[in-house]
Amino acid sequence: MGDGEVSRRIVRTVLVRLGTSLLVLWGAVTAAFVALHLTPGSVVDALIGSNTVTPQVRAQIIADYGLDRPLWRQYLAYLGRILHGDLGRSYQLHESVASALGSQLAPSLQLTLVSIGLALIVSTPLALFTARRRRWIRALSSGIELVGVSIPTFWAAILLLTVFSFRLGWFPAAGATGFGGLVLPAVAVAIPVTALLTQVTREGLERVLEEPFVLTARARGMSDAGVRTRHALRHAALPAVTFAGWLFGLMLGALVPVEQIFSRPGLGQLLLTAVGGKDLPIVMGVVLFTALVYVVVSSTLDVLYLVIDPRLRGAAR
């Protein structure tokens, strides 16, 4: 198969993935519109939430959302606003939803990236060290991973806060925005992710280490560490990358209790406050933004597969 054919198949794969991503986003937007109109009471009350507004503001909401028009025209207008980045307005925060999300995005993104980076840094050497080792080493590692997976994120956050902030005083307790205030929240989010990634990567390594090309590399005198890091790890990374993408979406949900416990600003804190105050535009905005992030991460990973494993380039459809 020539390079031109491979390139065309890669482009076709990317376009197909882009099309399915747009369908997923369309489904998320439609679900948000349906949820808004299925909320008990009037749509205006659902948008206002627990806030109290003047009749003039209610009239302005009806005009902004076109609530006096047929439902299908409201739906088309809603799709048009979303396509132009207009997620609505929070009448409790007195600002647009996009502005509210933008002001809270950086702390959540920082915490998510540091957590998943920490998980990858810890899980990769652990998997390399424990794959196809003596039984007691694998049993010890599996036991620690089981504990890590079983610990609820909020409980780990409280434990870390109690030990390293209240007792030892090594890190600020809450509300800090610098590096010191990022360590404990990142560790709390990374604990279950690290455990799961270690398990997945080790299973992949153990399968790859039995492949003929690994035996050939060993027969040529390559050291065990060289075989693991230069040959086996790359082939075993595909399941871990897939899993990391799924975990990225899961971690966004874990931000809610962690940001609340450590009094950190972020999307989780914003969502929790919006749910408590029945601020539906904010809740819908967070849901749509989360769907967008998940689609972007999944699409990026699909392209990354082709980079990690060249065999998939020829199999791309």
Side-chain angles (χ1 to χ4, degrees):
M1 183 181 301
D3 292 341
E5 179 64 20
V6 172
S7 300
R8 282 193 293 273
R9 289 191 172 187
I10 292 175
V11 171
R12 190 185 309 152
T13 301
V14 172
L15 291 177
V16 169
R17 183 60 189 176
L18 182 62
T20 55
S21 299
L22 290 176
L23 284 176
V24 171
L25 290 176
W26 172 75
V29 172
T30 303
F33 179 82
V34 172
L36 174 64
H37 285 266
L38 289 181
T39 304
S42 70
V43 175
V44 177
D45 291 333
L47 292 170
I48 296 172
S50 58
N51 207 10
T52 302
V53 298
T54 63
Q56 291 77 12
V57 173
R58 294 181 69 91
Q60 185 62 46
I61 294 173
I62 293 174
D64 290 344
Y65 283 82
L67 299 178
D68 53 348
R69 291 180 290 181
L71 191 60
W72 67 271
R73 291 189 62 183
Q74 294 181 38
Y75 176 66
L76 293 179
Y78 182 73
L79 287 179
R81 288 200 304 273
I82 296 297
L83 287 175
H84 287 85
D86 181 7
L87 299 176
R89 182 174 182 80
S90 169
Y91 297 95
Q92 297 188 23
L93 300 178
H94 303 290
E95 63 177 330
S96 68
V97 174
S99 174
L101 294 180
S103 64
Q104 302 296 320
L105 176 60
S108 291
L109 189 61
Q110 183 187 44
L111 178 56
T112 302
L113 292 178
V114 171
S115 299
I116 201 165
L118 181 63
L120 288 172
I121 290 172
V122 175
S123 65
T124 302
L126 273 177
L128 284 169
F129 178 74
T130 56
R132 290 184 63 83
R133 299 297 187 186
R134 295 181 179 178
R135 177 171 298 186
W136 70 268
I137 295 178
R138 297 179 70 255
L140 177 62
S141 178
S142 298
I144 296 174
E145 292 155 15
L146 181 61
V147 172
V149 172
S150 304
I151 294 178
T153 304
F154 75 91
W155 191 85
I158 294 173
L159 182 64
L160 291 169
L161 195 64
T162 302
V163 175
F164 295 101
S165 293
F166 297 155
R167 289 188 178 276
L168 300 177
W170 290 357
F171 300 98
T177 55
F179 177 76
L182 182 62
V183 173
L184 295 184
V187 172
V189 176
I191 287 175
V193 179
T194 303
L196 289 170
L197 279 180
T198 303
Q199 290 179 342
V200 172
T201 307
R202 184 174 58 242
E203 289 180 4
L205 278 170
E206 290 179 341
R207 186 180 63 256
V208 172
L209 287 173
E210 295 177 351
E211 296 286 337
F213 73 90
V214 171
L215 299 178
T216 302
R218 292 186 189 280
R220 290 179 176 176
M222 181 173 286
S223 65
D224 181 66
V227 169
R228 289 170 182 264
T229 56
R230 294 181 57 184
H231 294 286
L233 181 60
R234 181 173 181 176
H235 291 82
L238 208 57
V241 170
T242 305
F243 205 61
W246 177 77
L247 286 175
F248 189 85
L250 191 66
M251 288 168 68
L252 293 176
L255 296 182
V256 176
V258 171
E259 289 178 352
Q260 179 73 8
I261 290 171
F262 289 98
S263 298
R264 284 181 56 84
L267 294 178
Q269 187 83 273
L270 179 67
L271 178 61
L272 196 62
T273 304
V275 171
K278 298 180 180 178
D279 194 348
L280 193 57
I282 292 291
V283 175
M284 292 168 58
V286 172
V287 170
L288 292 177
F289 178 76
T290 304
L292 175 63
V293 170
Y294 194 76
V295 165
V296 169
V297 170
S298 299
S299 301
T300 304
L301 290 179
D302 278 354
V303 177
L304 194 59
Y305 295 156
L306 305 177
V307 177
I308 294 175
D309 194 342
R311 294 173 298 179
L312 296 178
R313 299 171 193 171
R317 292 288 185 270

